[in-house]
Amino acid sequence: MNKELIRKNIFKLLDYSGLTDLAFANVLDLSEKQLRLIKNESAEFSIDDINKACDFFRKSISSINNKEIEVDRKFRDKLITQHKNNPEYSIILEKRPSITYAINFELFHNEKFATEGIGIGSIKALFEDRGWKFSSGYISTAMDRNSDRIKRIPNPERAGWYLYKLR
């Protein structure tokens, strides 16, 4: 068993699922600190943790132990559908995803954001169309935290306001 490859694949699936680290730690019945240690390669997943993760992500152990997996951008939506009759998991998946997921998997795939730039209000509306409620301040902070990938430009139509676009 290649525990390093399994760890890498589980965290890739976690990124594509949109769950926060805390929510995923709860799925595995781990502390958030223990999950952080595993993420930082200071600890390892137990066999039980791996089995729970495989059950949640609907993957076989052999598939995550074989090679680095390819994950569809719509993986979260597929998980929601697959777990719709499983209240243990559906409750977790019905909550809004992490802001990082919303940016990486929704905002970065928006054509207007990528080419022209859009304001915080439009970003908020884009997320709300998916059923995800984030405050404007939270979105603004996330945009600033991702300044290596997101460019902030003055809004030509509103003095003192900004548009955000893909770098």
Side-chain angles (χ1 to χ4, degrees):
M1 203 156 67
N2 184 341
K3 285 199 169 188
E4 173 55 27
L5 180 62
I6 290 171
R7 184 192 68 77
K8 188 183 222 179
N9 281 332
I10 288 174
F11 282 112
K12 186 173 186 177
L13 290 165
L14 176 60
D15 287 343
Y16 279 73
S17 75
L19 262 62
T20 63
D21 286 353
L22 178 59
F24 187 58
N26 289 335
V27 166
L28 299 182
D29 200 24
L30 296 173
S31 69
E32 191 175 10
K33 180 181 179 184
Q34 180 66 17
L35 186 65
R36 197 173 331 111
L37 290 171
I38 295 168
K39 197 177 235 184
N40 294 332
E41 301 178 43
S42 300
E44 294 181 342
F45 285 115
S46 71
I47 296 299
D48 189 43
D49 298 335
I50 294 168
N51 285 328
K52 285 179 187 175
C54 286
D55 181 54
F56 179 76
F57 293 128
R58 297 287 211 213
K59 298 290 181 188
S60 67
I61 291 177
S62 61
S63 71
I64 66 169
N65 187 38
N66 188 12
K67 62 182 178 180
E68 188 171 338
I69 57 171
E70 295 296 321
V71 186
D72 183 348
R73 182 175 84 83
K74 295 290 187 179
F75 181 66
R76 177 184 173 84
D77 295 331
K78 291 176 183 177
L79 271 181
I80 289 169
T81 300
Q82 291 173 334
H83 288 303
K84 71 179 177 194
N85 295 321
N86 180 351
E88 179 184 4
Y89 295 149
S90 64
I91 290 170
I92 295 165
L93 287 163
E94 288 170 3
K95 293 180 181 174
R96 77 170 189 208
S98 67
I99 188 72
T100 302
Y101 174 88
I103 291 168
N104 291 337
F105 293 91
E106 192 67 30
L107 184 60
F108 282 177
H109 294 276
N110 179 279
E111 185 65 30
K112 190 170 182 180
F113 171 77
T115 57
E116 300 171 34
I118 57 178
I120 293 295
S122 296
I123 294 170
K124 184 177 180 185
L126 177 71
F127 293 158
E128 286 176 352
D129 285 348
R130 289 292 312 257
W132 308 333
K133 304 272 190 227
F134 295 103
S135 71
S136 297
Y138 193 56
I139 294 169
S140 180
T141 299
M143 295 295 105
D144 290 341
R145 273 188 278 141
N146 286 280
S147 61
D148 59 324
R149 301 179 303 150
I150 298 172
K151 185 177 184 178
R152 184 174 87 164
I153 56 175
N155 186 333
E157 297 172 7
R158 294 180 79 179
W161 292 75
Y162 295 95
L163 298 177
Y164 297 86
K165 68 182 279 184
L166 200 55
R167 264 198 199 276

